[in-house]
Amino acid sequence: MTIGAPHDVSTLHVGGANPYDVVVGRDLSSMVPGVLGDSVQRVALLYAGELGALAQPVADALSEHYDVLALGLPDGEQAKTASVANDCWEALGAAGFTRSDAVVTLGGGATTDLGGFVAASWLRGVRVVHVPTTVLAMVDAAVGGKTGINTGAGKNLVGAFHEPAGVLCDLALLETLPRDELVAGLGEVVKCGFIADPEILAIVESTEPEALTPRSPELRELVERAIRVKIDVVVDDLKETGGQDGHPGREVLNYGHTMAHAIERATDYRVRHGEAVAIGCVFVAELTRLAQGLEDALVERHASAFSRVGLPVGFAGATFDELREAMAVDKKTRGSQLRFLVLEELAVPRVLAGPSEEHLKAAYEAMVARA
């Protein structure tokens, strides 16, 4: 099946054992069947329930070639539960989905995580194509093959690695995104500037925040740069087994996430993921200043870069003990020892294992003071 691509698209290739492309452009719905291919008969379109109008063009493009099962999901993190996953499995079974059939997701990071997990687990793995509708999903959840659901103990503790057949980042879909959701997605983008691509920080620091719109070349470049950062990391370390020469490998993408996930859990996910990541990155920069002498200027650059785009850099909504308990079940924890991704210097990430309780509490107090 050959379908022409829209004009002005960027194709970012993800190599490895199961290569695929991430396409960035506008009005990409017509490309979905071409990514799925001819061997598929049935397609389950899993979409965030509030996005029915956005899902319709994709459903129409698919229905010209396949039998389409459209499944609306709860919004946000409420979709990422075992109950919702089970409902999807039951629907696939009732519709007779086989190993040669496929899943397409349309929505934000939660939809991508849940839909990817359903695809990974149904018959031990069927094809999945992601059509992310938020900045966060474009630069983070849709790329790299991580899927997952939440449990009462924490976020993303159940999941599987399952690489997509393709990812279509349609920037036109961002035009219906509320401004605060677009800004929240920039948390993961700015994070990529600190861990790997300082040019991202230069763009953020030289661009007026209100100029970062779905049609702006600056936002497109930020999205593409952040995707490239993720591609470079996951190609070398798909399953988070570690990097080379002291580099943490794929774990580096979790910079700021130990505290971020604790904040999300403590607030029952009322704090958006990108907002929590911004706070978590500033927290871990402060922790690294205390534990390893990270330069004051780099710590303050964290706060200024995230706040410039409109993200919070402090949090006072939970006690130290509440957050400390939540961090104890973070995926990077080994035994009873907390592990944090930190910076030795800009774009030089390392792992800090077992920081002292004194330093953790002092970094927490600095986080509260910034709120």
Side-chain angles (χ1 to χ4, degrees):
M1 183 184 301
T2 301
I3 296 178
H7 297 296
D8 191 26
V9 299
S10 303
T11 301
L12 312 177
H13 184 66
V14 184
N18 299 292
Y20 59 95
D21 290 333
V22 180
V23 179
V24 181
R26 300 181 64 84
D27 303 318
L28 305 182
S29 297
S30 64
M31 295 185 67
V32 180
V35 179
L36 286 170
D38 294 322
S39 62
V40 174
Q41 178 179 341
R42 304 173 189 85
V43 174
L45 175 60
L46 275 57
Y47 65 95
E50 63 182 358
L51 300 181
L54 291 181
Q56 194 59 51
V58 177
D60 291 343
L62 290 171
S63 63
E64 294 181 13
H65 306 276
Y66 315 106
D67 296 329
V68 178
L69 173 66
L71 299 175
L73 304 175
D75 298 327
E77 294 293 323
Q78 300 305 313
K80 292 175 57 176
T81 68
S83 175
V84 174
N86 184 69
D87 289 343
C88 293
W89 295 324
E90 294 293 346
L92 295 182
F97 270 64
T98 69
R99 186 166 287 175
S100 62
D101 295 322
V103 171
V104 172
T105 72
L106 186 139
T111 301
T112 300
D113 285 349
L114 182 281
F117 181 63
V118 169
S121 50
W122 182 253
L123 300 178
R124 299 185 177 90
V126 297
R127 290 170 67 84
V128 61
V129 173
H130 297 309
V131 184
T133 61
T134 66
V135 173
L136 177 66
M138 290 179 182
V139 304
D140 185 37
V143 180
K146 270 191 177 181
T147 73
I149 58 175
N150 305 330
T151 72
K155 184 173 180 177
N156 295 334
L157 296 182
V158 176
F161 291 99
H162 188 61
E163 293 174 279
V167 179
L168 301 176
C169 298
D170 189 338
L171 299 173
L173 297 177
L174 300 180
E175 293 181 7
T176 62
L177 198 65
R179 181 66 186 179
D180 52 3
E181 290 287 350
L182 187 148
V183 168
L186 294 175
E188 290 282 1
V189 174
V190 176
K191 176 208 75 177
C192 288
F194 283 106
I195 64 173
D197 183 2
E199 183 59 26
I200 288 175
L201 302 180
I203 295 170
V204 166
E205 292 163 346
S206 63
T207 305
E208 291 300 320
E210 57 270 21
L212 295 176
T213 67
R215 289 185 175 272
S216 71
E218 292 86 359
L219 183 65
R220 177 169 181 161
E221 183 173 358
L222 289 174
V223 167
E224 291 184 7
R225 282 184 173 275
I227 292 171
R228 287 193 185 98
V229 168
K230 185 154 193 181
I231 289 173
D232 289 345
V233 173
V234 300
V235 166
D236 289 336
D237 184 22
L238 174 64
K239 296 191 175 180
E240 217 167 78
T241 56
Q244 300 177 356
D245 300 324
H247 192 284
R250 184 169 182 153
E251 272 194 324
V252 72
L253 298 171
N254 289 318
Y255 186 62
H257 282 53
T258 302
M259 177 56 79
H261 286 167
I263 290 171
E264 289 179 277
R265 183 183 173 198
T267 61
D268 196 25
Y269 303 100
R270 289 188 298 275
V271 175
R272 295 178 178 87
H273 179 68
E275 295 169 341
V277 167
I279 299 166
C281 287
V282 177
F283 166 84
V284 81
E286 180 66 36
L287 176 64
T288 314
R289 169 160 57 184
L290 295 165
Q292 297 186 336
L294 186 66
E295 292 182 357
D296 292 351
L298 185 50
V299 177
E300 294 309 312
R301 193 178 188 187
H302 279 70
S304 64
F306 285 108
S307 61
R308 178 173 175 79
V309 298
L311 289 164
V313 294
F315 176 74
T319 67
F320 173 78
D321 289 342
E322 289 170 335
L323 296 174
R324 178 66 176 79
E325 180 183 359
M327 288 191 289
V329 294
D330 181 78
K331 297 190 299 299
K332 297 181 294 302
T333 298
R334 300 293 183 268
S336 60
Q337 187 180 69
L338 294 182
R339 295 168 73 255
F340 292 86
L341 274 299
V342 301
L343 295 181
E344 188 175 292
E345 56 185 85
L346 182 61
V348 182
R350 294 290 184 263
V351 172
L352 170 62
S356 70
E357 292 297 307
E358 177 185 1
H359 288 154
L360 287 169
K361 288 178 181 177
Y364 165 81
E365 290 167 0
M367 178 179 74
V368 170
R370 290 185 187 273

